[in-house]
Amino acid sequence: MTNRRTILGALGSVAMLALTAGNAMAQEVTLKLHQFLPAQANVPKLILDVWADGVEADSDGRIKVDRFPSMQLGGVPPELYDQVVDGVADVVWTVVGYTPGRFPSTEVFELPFMVADARAASYAYYKMFEEHMQDEFNDTHILGTWVHGPGMFHTADPVETPDDLRGMKIRGGSRLVNKLLETTGATPVGMPVPAIPEGLSKGVIDGTTIPWEVTGALKVPELVENHTEFEGPALYNLTFVLAMNKGVYDGLPDDLKAVIDKNSGLEFSVFAGGTQSDSDGPAREMAVEMGNNIITIDAATAESTWLPVVQPIYASWIAEMAEKGIDGQARIDQARALMTEYTANK
């Protein structure tokens, strides 16, 4: 009996070792995914986790994606892109505008009243990335490019006209948003998204520009009571990238590169932009339920009252692009044509 137990125990140990070895062999690559929002926010939960889960499933467990929200790997949000270049993280999701002027071509989608549909803009953004922007991102492997839903104001005092912003301190999310604020007489304040709640609660800022979808995670409707949204083309949009360390991607075997590719690219970009935009509705409803003041600027009023104020931003942007050897007007025309193409074909 003792010998039988000894033999069975030995066989069990061999089987366990074989299983352990099999699991070790199955997981060949671990990717560190770093980003700045809490894990429960919409982008991590509805977009980044979907991407990571898809990569893990399609690789049959050979790729594992460890997720680090809220800057858990250290640093501040504007450092994310350099973190993936330097290998601090293997994959990052970041706001392109956190590094002003570094990726000038992407700003075409951040111009005021340029984008009416996040899916169409994300489609156009990826198409133009493939054609024009790869040199700007040549130190990483880009997995996706997209924009959020309509950008808008969330303020302590109501904002109905550009003059209402005069003298206010407003957080802006990018260089062009800050220019927009300056044209209205507001004072733009640069701060990353996670700093918004403290900025509002301490009176460092009188309001912020963000889309509806992130307001819930930041508890913005509890901190300010006024929200100004725009029908038709959005006041502004921000651009994002999901970027991977180039050496890590290039070092993957071809079949695992194919897994990354399958879960990335044009289709993923449209999914990401659309999903982020779709999350605006539930977040807006939270503010409605709280009884907050929601001001909706119709398209005709936006065109007659707001657009003339911000129109000079187009001229200055085109001039700035010319200095960089970029035909800004051609990029605007192409972006609009591609967004129309997507809308017509969807």
Side-chain angles (χ1 to χ4, degrees), residues 7 11 18 32 62 110 129-130 183 188 239 247 274 282 320:
I7 292 168
L11 289 173
K32 293 179 291 185
R62 293 169 61 200
E110 298 181 358
F129 160 74
E130 289 186 304
T183 64
T239 55
E320 290 168 358

Side-chain angles (χ1 to χ4, degrees), residues 21-75:
N23 286 341
M25 291 175 63
Q27 185 187 317
E28 298 175 9
V29 177
T30 300
L31 300 177
K32 293 179 291 185
L33 169 58
H34 199 204
Q35 55 87 20
F36 58 88
L37 287 178
Q40 70 272 18
N42 287 317
V43 171
K45 181 174 61 176
L46 303 177
I47 299 172
L48 302 181
D49 281 349
V50 171
W51 179 85
D53 292 346
V55 166
E56 290 179 343
D58 290 339
S59 69
D60 293 324
R62 293 169 61 200
I63 299 176
K64 182 175 184 292
V65 182
D66 287 342
R67 301 131 205 230
F68 296 91
S70 301
M71 302 304 298
Q72 287 180 353
L73 293 180

Side-chain angles (χ1 to χ4, degrees), residues 24 31 45 129 141 146 153 170 186 201 239 253 257 265 298 344-345:
L31 300 177
K45 181 174 61 176
F129 160 74
H141 179 79
W146 69 92
F153 295 115
I170 305 291
S201 64
T239 55
K257 283 182 185 174
D298 63 58
N345 294 329

Side-chain angles (χ1 to χ4, degrees), residues 66-218:
D66 287 342
R67 301 131 205 230
F68 296 91
S70 301
M71 302 304 298
Q72 287 180 353
L73 293 180
V76 293
E79 296 172 345
L80 278 165
Y81 189 82
D82 283 328
Q83 286 186 351
V84 81
V85 172
D86 297 338
V88 174
D90 302 306
V91 180
V92 300
W93 169 66
T94 190
V95 178
V96 177
Y98 279 165
T99 50
R102 187 169 177 177
F103 309 103
S105 294
T106 66
E107 289 185 336
V108 67
F109 296 102
E110 298 181 358
L111 288 163
F113 301 104
M114 179 71 179
V115 172
D117 179 271
R119 285 181 173 85
S122 299
Y123 169 86
Y125 181 10
Y126 193 83
K127 287 280 193 180
M128 292 176 69
F129 160 74
E130 289 186 304
E131 183 176 349
H132 300 299
M133 302 178 190
Q134 296 202 42
D135 285 349
E136 293 177 23
F137 293 96
N138 62 7
D139 47 3
T140 62
H141 179 79
I142 295 298
L143 305 171
T145 65
W146 69 92
V147 306
H148 61 47
M152 52 182 292
F153 295 115
H154 308 268
T155 51
D157 295 323
V159 172
E160 296 186 13
T161 70
D163 284 343
D164 291 333
L165 287 163
R166 190 169 301 279
M168 285 191 184
K169 296 173 292 183
I170 305 291
R171 177 263 177 189
S174 74
R175 187 179 77 92
L176 288 187
V177 175
N178 287 342
K179 281 198 166 194
L180 183 159
L181 293 169
E182 287 173 351
T183 64
T184 68
T187 300
V189 179
M191 66 173 58
V193 168
I196 290 172
E198 183 177 5
L200 289 172
S201 64
K202 292 186 174 181
V204 174
I205 52 176
D206 302 308
T208 185
T209 56
I210 47 173
W212 274 118
E213 62 89 12
V214 76
T215 57
L218 300 177

